């Protein structure tokens, strides 16, 4: 089938919960993807930070093939070898001690919310259940995680929302301190807000948040679903800040494209979960965790974290050149290879113009361009992307660069 045929069938049978472009991607390799009409694209969306190894990384493909021939699924009633191995890798390479596996970032954050409440009721008091989150945050689409999300547009149409969340401005310690009360049990935030517009936390702010949580007996939860696993140029974003969370959530890039989520916690916190307190039928199944082991080892062994830092600095510099050339471009934000370009103009039109020229990027809030290339992206590929972007900006903004 070609693009038109796939789109027509999708319009007939698939719920309209996404605003989709009229192309169907059918093949990928490295930084490139091809649609059903055979057209090639340079992919700087990266499955929304999932494809950090690029498309169809050989180690991940081989692990999936091998595991599919042995055991696809059993149950968490039994120990699962690749699940245990992936947990070991995560713990030995982080500051956390125990892992719970699930299927998505939203599920990982649901688990974090439950664990924080359970721990607080045991250690802080029976009325301690409230979690403070940040304006512009994004934590998922389940009822609890969309309520935790500090963007009202995600709340519309789903009332009544579950109680137990308060919102404060990001990077504003005074507002956070004022929001802490007797019912507070945790502070939850993304070290780099992705969906909110690509805003990075200030280092002194996160360090002060850690100190505040310690002083008040609160848990600190880092949602690293998008910004973790090498994306910022550090294996975990918290490492740049020198701040260890009590709970951390991961998903997106963890298994190279296979659905998976993980919640990690310090030993003392993890101990609050007893058998039966939380579960996931598919969580940590043999296929997903075998892919996760292969993807995580590739991340550690192929220099991808360092490459994300070096190429992220180079890419940022090239985007900042565009800011100096186009008056409608405001600023570049982010860290590593999680970058945003804010503009005074129609970001959606720029995305469409880039797609016409063979570059995939995406937009946020109508005025921010977001870039999520694979962590093994090269300087030449960044140069190609920037050249396409510049041409698209000239078309959409109706001007030549300065």
């Amino acid at each position: 089938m070609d693009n038109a045929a796939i789109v027509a069938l999708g319009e007939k049978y698939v719920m309209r919960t996404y605003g989709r472009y009229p192309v169907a991607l059918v093949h990928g390799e490295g930084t490139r993807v091809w649609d059903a009409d055979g057209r090639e694209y340079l992919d700087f969306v990266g499955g929304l930070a999932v494809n950090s190894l690029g498309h169809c990384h050989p180690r991940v493909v081989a692990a999936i093939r091998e595991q599919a021939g042995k055991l696809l699924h059993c149950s968490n009633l039994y120990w699962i070898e690749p699940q245990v191995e992936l947990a070991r890798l995560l713990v030995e390479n982080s500051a956390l001690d125990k892992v719970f596996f699930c299927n998505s970032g939203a599920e990982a954050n649901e688990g974090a919310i439950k664990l924080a409440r359970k721990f607080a009721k045991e250690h802080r008091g029976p009325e301690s259940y409230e979690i403070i989150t940040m304006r512009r945050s994004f934590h998922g689409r389940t009822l609890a995680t969309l309520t935790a999300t500090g963007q009202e547009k995600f709340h519309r149409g789903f009332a009544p929302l579950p109680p137990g969340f308060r919102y404060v401005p990001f990077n504003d310690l005074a507002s956070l301190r004022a929001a802490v009360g007797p019912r507070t049990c945790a502070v939850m935030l993304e070290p780099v807000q992705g969906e909110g517009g690509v805003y990075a936390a200030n280092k002194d702010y996160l360090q002060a948040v850690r100190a505040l949580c310690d002083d008040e007996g609160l848990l600190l939860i880092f949602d690293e679903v998008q910004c973790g696993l090498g994306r910022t140029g550090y294996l975990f974003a918290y490492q740049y800040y020198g701040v260890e969370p009590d709970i951390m959530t991961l998903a997106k890039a963890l298994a190279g494209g296979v659905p998976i989520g993980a919640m990690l916690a310090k030993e003392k916190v993890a101990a609050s979960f007893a058998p039966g307190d939380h579960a996931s039928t598919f969580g940590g199944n043999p296929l997903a965790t075998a892919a996760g082991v292969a993807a995580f080892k590739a991340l550690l062994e192929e220099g991808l974290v360092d490459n994300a830092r070096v190429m992220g600095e180079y890419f940022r510099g090239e985007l900042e050149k565009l800011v100096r050339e186009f008056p409608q471009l405001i600023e570049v934000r982010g860290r590593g290879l999680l970058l945003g370009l804010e503009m005074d103009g129609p970001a959606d039109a720029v995305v469409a113009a880039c797609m016409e020229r063979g570059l995939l990027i995406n937009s946020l809030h109508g005025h921010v361009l977001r870039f999520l290339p694979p962590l093994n992206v090269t300087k030449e590929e960044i140069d190609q992307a920037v050249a396409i972007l510049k041409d698209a900006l000239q078309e959409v903004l109706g001007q030549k660069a300065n």
Side-chain angles (χ1 to χ4, degrees), residues 42 44 314-315 318-319 321-322 325-326 350 353-354 357-359 361 371 379-395 400-401:
L42 183 61
F44 273 41
Y314 177 74
F315 192 11
E318 294 302 296
L319 293 174
K321 289 179 184 177
L322 293 181
E325 293 175 6
F326 290 90
V350 176
C354 285
R357 291 160 172 79
L359 171 67
I361 60 174
F371 308 92
K379 179 178 178 291
E380 291 72 24
E381 289 164 337
I382 291 172
D383 288 342
Q384 182 184 355
V386 171
I388 293 172
L389 175 61
K390 183 174 181 177
D391 191 45
L393 288 167
Q394 289 174 339
E395 176 190 306
K400 295 292 184 181

Side-chain angles (χ1 to χ4, degrees), residues 180-261:
V180 174
R183 289 193 294 270
T184 308
C185 74
V187 175
M188 183 177 187
L189 58 83
E190 303 149 277
V192 182
Q193 294 183 329
E195 295 295 324
V198 193
Y199 293 92
N202 298 328
K203 184 174 283 190
D204 57 352
Y205 168 74
L206 273 201
Q207 292 173 349
V209 172
R210 175 73 271 179
L212 175 64
C213 288
D214 291 341
D215 291 344
E216 298 289 341
L218 308 176
L219 295 181
L220 179 57
I221 305 169
F222 281 178
D223 176 345
E224 294 210 17
V225 167
Q226 184 170 147
C227 66
L229 297 165
R231 176 59 56 182
T232 64
Y234 291 80
L235 184 58
F236 302 107
Y238 78 78
Q239 293 170 329
Y240 165 79
Y241 294 96
V243 175
E244 294 182 3
D246 301 297
I247 300 173
M248 178 174 67
T249 57
L250 303 169
K252 291 188 181 294
L254 184 54
V258 176
I260 193 171

Side-chain angles (χ1 to χ4, degrees), residues 94-98 115 210 244-248 264-272:
S94 75
L96 290 305
D97 302 308
K98 288 288 196 296
L115 180 58
R210 175 73 271 179
E244 294 182 3
D246 301 297
I247 300 173
M248 178 174 67
L264 287 70
K266 296 280 193 178
E267 182 80 50
K268 179 182 177 182
V269 180
S272 288

Side-chain angles (χ1 to χ4, degrees), residues 136-218:
R136 295 194 309 253
S137 61
F138 183 84
H139 297 295
R141 301 281 190 165
T142 65
L143 273 176
T145 56
L146 74 84
T147 308
T149 294
Q151 299 186 60
E152 291 181 5
K153 68 178 183 179
F154 293 111
H155 302 168
R156 297 188 198 113
F158 300 111
L161 299 176
F165 299 94
R166 297 187 69 181
Y167 315 109
V168 298
F170 193 45
N171 277 326
D172 185 337
L173 184 65
S175 294
L176 175 59
R177 183 177 285 116
V180 174
R183 289 193 294 270
T184 308
C185 74
V187 175
M188 183 177 187
L189 58 83
E190 303 149 277
V192 182
Q193 294 183 329
E195 295 295 324
V198 193
Y199 293 92
N202 298 328
K203 184 174 283 190
D204 57 352
Y205 168 74
L206 273 201
Q207 292 173 349
V209 172
R210 175 73 271 179
L212 175 64
C213 288
D214 291 341
D215 291 344
E216 298 289 341
L218 308 176

